[in-house]
Amino acid sequence: MPENFQKINKYTNLILPVVLVFIDYLAIVCAESLAFNFRNWYTGNTSLHISWLNFWVVFPALYLIFLNIEQLYNRRAQFWQIIQKLFVTSCYAITSIIILLYIARIAGSTSRMFIAVFWILSFILLVVFRYIVKKVLEKYQLLQVPVLIIGAGKTAELLVQGIKDDAGMGYKIIGLLEDNKVEDGVLEKYPVLGKFSDAEQVISKYNIQHVFIAAPGLEQGKLTKLIYKVQPLVKSMGVIPNLVGVPMGGIEAESLFNEKLMLLRLRNNLARPVNRWIKTIFDYVLTITGTIAISPILIVIALWIYKDSPGPVIFKHRRIGKNGKEFNCYKFRSMCVDAKEKLEQLLANDPEARAEWEKDFKLKNDPRITKSGAFLRKTSLDELPQIFNVLKGEMSLVGPRPIIRDEMIRYGEHIDDYLMVKPGITGMWQVSGRSDTGYKERVQLDSWYVRNWSVWLDLMLLWRTGRIVVQGKGAY
């Protein structure tokens, strides 16, 4: 336990908002400057004039006001949620700027191109500047909010992993309270400061102001008693209820005061037609743009496969799509042309390989894979042709992993969730370890995605897919 813990705990919540305000102001001014210079360069017209007051004070102030309204200075959140709030802020702020320009009767002399580029750049730079600052603070353990975690089981381990992996959270875990022995793993590096019954003494001794209770298996009476003891002693307290794995996207909480109950309303987001239309538009816009951008890469890969081994460049495999309709799923060919015969021979002669295949329908050391195919699989570039499945309306950019008919039985009661939507090029499975993830967990991830879908979740999964592909984790 660091000696200066009390100082960190006392000043973090005061200093961090000031730092973030300065960083956000810098990002907004940079966006203004870049938009101004881009407009002048693109049009070749340097007559645009923006008053000193608007440039340095009014425009940034409007952004900072909406950033504060969205609680981006006083509330911790996952970074993908921060991105969502920054986008909303940018929209509100730029709309307010346009209204202000019309009220001041200077809209006619202000470039529309400047406003449009400023809007786009302000969002991008706010995200980039925030991310860099968060990562720097995290790396040097500066201005992190100290937090005590009550519980040290599987749920607490997932919570700690989530805090460590997400730049937006900004928590410094100072220790744990646990009645039982802490198992080896993520939690063993943190000190156990006592048992559940020691909560009051530990909070008082270390002047703790933020607590997470991660003990969903605790008996209801004991959990209620623990919450009542801890809540008056701290500024904020988070409780993870016994709902792990339940779809919580778009959840709405409602208090029934007289009955002392909390009602949670859960929505199946992709069961709504309007959300499916939004997802389809999202798919086509990004896919068309992306296909044009990566067309040179597609050509180079196709030539490499053609030269590396005889046979077609594209491999077609029957997969199950929305409503159980089969379609040809496209991939760059990564195996030899007689792969089916080789597989049958291998499974007939190698019991270990047969057991591995029956478990996940994959082989870690697959003798059918070509030299080019090994690289394409490791980098997941073999799946790029699936963008044409998206354009044909058979797949989505993000969604459940496309499966073969023999796998449907393994989905059990979750098969209706899978059949409700189009399978995706990437999804929850791909960003959660890919082939290192057990099959049962894959099914749960697919079901969770369908029930929790949002545009922002898709954007987050696409971003994380890029990181996973670069790392080459779990791909074979």
Side-chain angles (χ1 to χ4, degrees):
M1 185 67 57
E3 295 180 0
N4 63 343
F5 168 69
Q6 282 81 2
K7 290 183 180 180
I8 296 174
N9 188 41
K10 183 177 181 180
Y11 296 115
T12 292
N13 288 330
L14 297 175
I15 299 173
L16 184 59
V18 175
V19 172
L20 292 179
V21 166
F22 173 76
I23 292 300
D24 290 340
Y25 179 85
L26 188 61
I28 295 160
V29 170
C30 286
E32 285 183 289
S33 181
L34 289 172
F36 182 85
N37 288 297
F38 175 82
R39 181 265 176 195
N40 288 347
W41 168 80
Y42 186 81
T43 63
N45 184 349
T46 59
S47 62
L48 176 63
H49 172 72
I50 300 174
S51 71
W52 180 92
L53 185 64
N54 283 339
F55 189 94
W56 295 102
V57 180
V58 177
F59 292 175
L62 286 171
Y63 269 85
L64 296 176
I65 288 170
F66 284 109
L67 286 165
N68 188 55
I69 291 173
E70 289 293 325
Q71 297 184 309
L72 284 163
Y73 295 122
N74 56 12
R75 186 174 181 179
R76 303 276 164 155
Q78 291 179 290
F79 200 75
W80 72 271
Q81 293 174 318
I82 292 175
I83 294 174
Q84 181 179 0
K85 288 178 177 292
L86 289 174
F87 180 77
V88 171
T89 294
S90 300
C91 292
Y92 284 151
I94 208 70
T95 302
S96 300
I97 288 172
I98 293 171
I99 293 172
L100 182 65
L101 292 174
Y102 274 101
I103 292 174
R105 297 183 179 180
I106 57 175
S109 61
T110 304
S111 168
R112 295 175 185 175
M113 177 179 288
F114 165 76
I115 294 296
V117 176
F118 175 37
W119 171 48
I120 296 169
L121 288 179
S122 64
F123 168 62
I124 294 173
L125 292 186
L126 281 169
V127 172
V128 171
F129 279 38
R130 279 255 179 165
Y131 183 78
I132 292 173
V133 168
K134 289 282 188 179
K135 294 303 286 186
V136 169
L137 293 177
E138 181 183 48
K139 180 178 180 179
Y140 294 103
Q141 287 295 292
L142 297 172
L143 301 179
Q144 306 292 289
V145 173
V147 63
L148 172 71
I149 294 183
I150 301 178
K154 182 64 177 177
T155 301
E157 186 174 347
L158 291 172
L159 173 62
V160 169
Q161 194 64 52
I163 291 174
K164 287 177 59 182
D165 291 345
D166 196 290
M169 301 297 278
Y171 289 112
K172 178 182 176 63
I173 300 167
I174 61 166
L176 313 168
L177 295 183
E178 176 57 56
D179 287 345
N180 304 311
K181 182 179 180 297
V182 179
E183 301 294 332
D184 295 340
V186 176
L187 299 179
E188 63 179 344
K189 64 179 286 189
Y190 301 104
V192 178
L193 304 178
K195 297 184 177 181
F196 289 172
S197 58
D198 301 321
E200 292 170 295
Q201 293 87 341
V202 172
I203 290 171
S204 176
K205 179 180 179 181
Y206 297 109
N207 191 26
I208 294 168
Q209 295 299 311
H210 304 273
V211 171
F212 288 139
I213 299 178
L218 195 63
E219 182 184 325
Q220 183 59 51
K222 293 181 179 179
L223 178 61
T224 302
K225 184 178 179 181
L226 180 61
I227 291 172
Y228 269 86
K229 282 200 314 181
V230 171
Q231 189 176 21
L233 306 175
V234 297
K235 289 181 180 178
S236 69
M237 178 178 65
V239 181
I240 298 180
N242 191 15
L243 295 171
V244 178
V246 173
M248 307 294 281
I251 188 172
E252 295 176 356
E254 183 178 334
S255 297
L256 305 178
F257 291 103
N258 291 336
E259 293 75 18
K260 299 181 180 64
L261 295 175
M262 181 174 66
L263 174 65
L264 301 179
R265 299 183 186 275
L266 308 179
R267 297 198 300 263
N268 188 340
N269 289 337
L270 280 179
R272 302 183 176 193
V274 64
N275 285 341
R276 291 203 293 270
W277 273 105
I278 293 172
K279 183 171 175 60
T280 299
I281 294 170
F282 174 85
D283 283 339
Y284 278 117
V285 170
L286 264 66
T287 303
I288 292 171
T289 305
T291 302
I292 295 171
I294 67 171
S295 55
I297 299 175
L298 297 175
I299 294 171
V300 170
I301 293 175
L303 292 174
W304 184 20
I305 296 171
Y306 179 78
K307 185 178 179 181
D308 182 48
S309 65
V313 170
I314 300 295
F315 170 75
K316 295 185 291 186
H317 198 248
R318 299 296 285 177
R319 297 294 171 116
I320 303 299
K322 184 180 177 183
N323 298 324
K325 183 180 178 181
E326 287 192 359
F327 67 96
N328 286 322
C329 182
Y330 302 130
K331 284 189 176 187
F332 279 126
R333 182 173 58 83
S334 60
M335 294 184 179
C336 53
V337 290
D338 58 343
K340 183 178 180 181
E341 292 76 11
K342 280 192 175 182
L343 176 64
E344 292 174 351
Q345 185 179 358
L346 178 67
L347 298 183
N349 300 323
D350 189 334
E352 290 186 8
R354 184 170 64 251
E356 183 183 357
W357 177 260
E358 290 174 353
K359 179 183 177 183
D360 293 323
F361 293 94
K362 276 181 172 285
L363 296 173
K364 196 152 193 172
N365 298 307
D366 199 323
R368 302 171 295 164
I369 297 176
T370 62
K371 185 183 296 185
S372 59
F375 174 81
L376 294 175
R377 283 178 166 236
K378 186 67 176 176
T379 57
S380 294
L381 292 174
D382 63 317
E383 297 180 359
L384 283 180
Q386 290 173 17
I387 57 179
F388 299 110
N389 288 117
V390 177
L391 294 175
K392 291 173 64 178
E394 298 165 336
M395 291 182 66
S396 178
L397 282 176
V398 184
R401 184 180 61 90
I403 61 174
I404 61 177
R405 187 163 294 279
D406 290 345
E407 292 179 85
M408 291 180 67
I409 192 172
R410 296 196 178 194
Y411 272 69
E413 61 185 4
H414 298 292
I415 191 61
D416 289 337
D417 289 334
Y418 176 88
L419 297 177
M420 186 186 300
V421 299
K422 301 171 187 175
I425 296 177
T426 188
M428 293 291 294
W429 170 67
Q430 287 88 335
V431 304
S432 303
R434 292 193 276 184
S435 296
D436 293 335
T437 307
Y439 205 99
K440 182 179 180 181
E441 187 177 356
R442 294 185 204 176
V443 173
Q444 293 172 344
L445 289 171
D446 285 344
S447 178
W448 190 94
Y449 168 80
V450 173
R451 294 172 183 265
N452 288 273
W453 174 85
S454 71
V455 170
W456 293 105
L457 177 59
D458 276 4
L459 287 171
M460 182 192 71
L461 292 175
L462 287 170
W463 167 255
R464 292 184 63 185
T465 297
R467 290 173 51 194
I468 295 293
V469 167
V470 170
Q471 295 170 357
K473 182 181 178 182
Y476 56 83

